[in-house]
Amino acid sequence: MPETGSTRLLDVRTEVDLGCALPVAAAVLRAGGLVAFPTETVYGLGANALDAAAVDRIFAAKGRPATNPVIVHVSEVEQAKALVAAWPAAADELAARFWPGPLTLVLPRVKAVPDVVTAGGPTVAVRVPAHPVALALLRQTGLPLAAPSANRSMRLSPTTAEHVLRDLGGRVDVVLDGGPTPGGIESTVIDVSGPPRLLRPGLIDVPALEAVVGPLARAMVTDGQPLPSPGLMARHYAPRTPLEAVADGLRRAAELHAAGLRVALVSHLGDVSVPSGVVVRAMPAEPAAYARALYAALHDLDRENLDRIVVALPPAGEEWLAVRDRLARAATPG
Ligand code: TXA
Ligand code: MG
């Protein structure tokens, strides 16, 4: 079995391998250990959500501030209801429409949910993931699994098992390798403990949500600016290499290159006439495909020893909201 530090990497890309790995992973989780697993969005770093000491280990492994609450993953609606003190009609409608899937609902919690999960707050975030490996793991353990993205705090979320190992190798007991995650960026988070409110744009877009619950309040100031959310810092989801996101990415990349910097240009515009020596990463021009490719592109470029990553900012507009949010968070302040 391949090992990285004390981390066991288990391939779960076939039914047979999944069948072998599940009992191992479930035993680790029941004993209070950490298992990273693929979801349809990004890889999660899972622990038994009802075991405060196990969830503490997630925070230690990630270097995550205790003020940032984590999402609890469950296998079905009934299991979510057991963790919350109220289940309003909006939750019912959203769960019926989008679960399993990349939508996280924030609701009043019950006492059985440990403080470390909610960062001491009165609400808990829950979702039923759509990935077959995540669902199989949830069913095998029968436990609700607290799982933030499986990266060091403030860094890029992982979309492959290799990304997880690079960031958390030796700090997690098991990594289940289910191949690249299909979604590429994180779930949409909405607070339904009161009138529905968007906390984090994500894979499910706002028009789809509004079609179910009507107008969504937004904590957002302007498009592309980070949203205020409990424990969520503006700088987040960031590569190590300083990153700028600007409308005219080609001009900016050329300027920095001319000044002697090693530069990459990430662009969906099919730019021609990029100066030779500028590393180019062509991105899809369609928002969902762009989202799927974004973190993988930034993870790759982060390994190239560049001085700067310049991203050509996609246009304003609802369909680009989640991508622009992540780029704003990835950008270096100043
Ligand atoms: O797609 C995803 O959501 C992935 C996969 C693994 O499920 N998870 C993920 O978790 O992105 P994380 O911890 O990286 O982000 C969780 C977000 C944070 O912005 C956190 O502040 C917010 O959800 N959150 C969690 N619990 C909350 C609560 N009770 N109230 C408000 N926001 C909450
Ligand atoms: Mg995260």
Side-chain angles (χ1 to χ4, degrees), residues 213-254:
V213 288
L216 264 188
R218 318 214 188 149
M220 178 168 341
V221 188
T222 45
D223 181 29
Q225 292 302 304
L227 293 171
S229 167
L232 191 53
M233 284 70 57
R235 183 171 159 79
H236 211 97
Y237 312 102
R240 288 184 170 77
T241 313
L243 180 148
E244 302 178 30
V246 293
D248 194 348
L250 175 58
R251 192 196 55 77
R252 181 63 177 152

Side-chain angles (χ1 to χ4, degrees), residues 132-230:
V133 171
L135 281 174
L137 185 63
L138 287 163
R139 290 186 184 126
Q140 179 88 21
T141 60
L143 296 169
L145 297 178
S149 52
N151 52 277
R152 298 293 281 265
S153 186
M154 313 294 278
R155 295 287 175 206
L156 290 171
S157 294
T159 60
T160 66
E162 194 198 341
H163 295 159
V164 177
L165 284 177
R166 245 186 259 150
D167 227 20
L168 294 175
R171 296 176 157 257
V172 23
D173 299 300
V174 170
V175 177
L176 299 179
D177 182 358
T181 58
I185 61 169
E186 301 82 359
S187 63
T188 305
V189 181
I190 72 172
D191 185 337
V192 284
S193 65
R197 196 161 60 100
L198 180 68
L199 296 182
R200 179 178 73 179
L203 276 185
I204 306 238
D205 66 21
V206 169
L209 295 170
E210 291 189 329
V212 176
V213 288
L216 264 188
R218 318 214 188 149
M220 178 168 341
V221 188
T222 45
D223 181 29
Q225 292 302 304
L227 293 171
S229 167

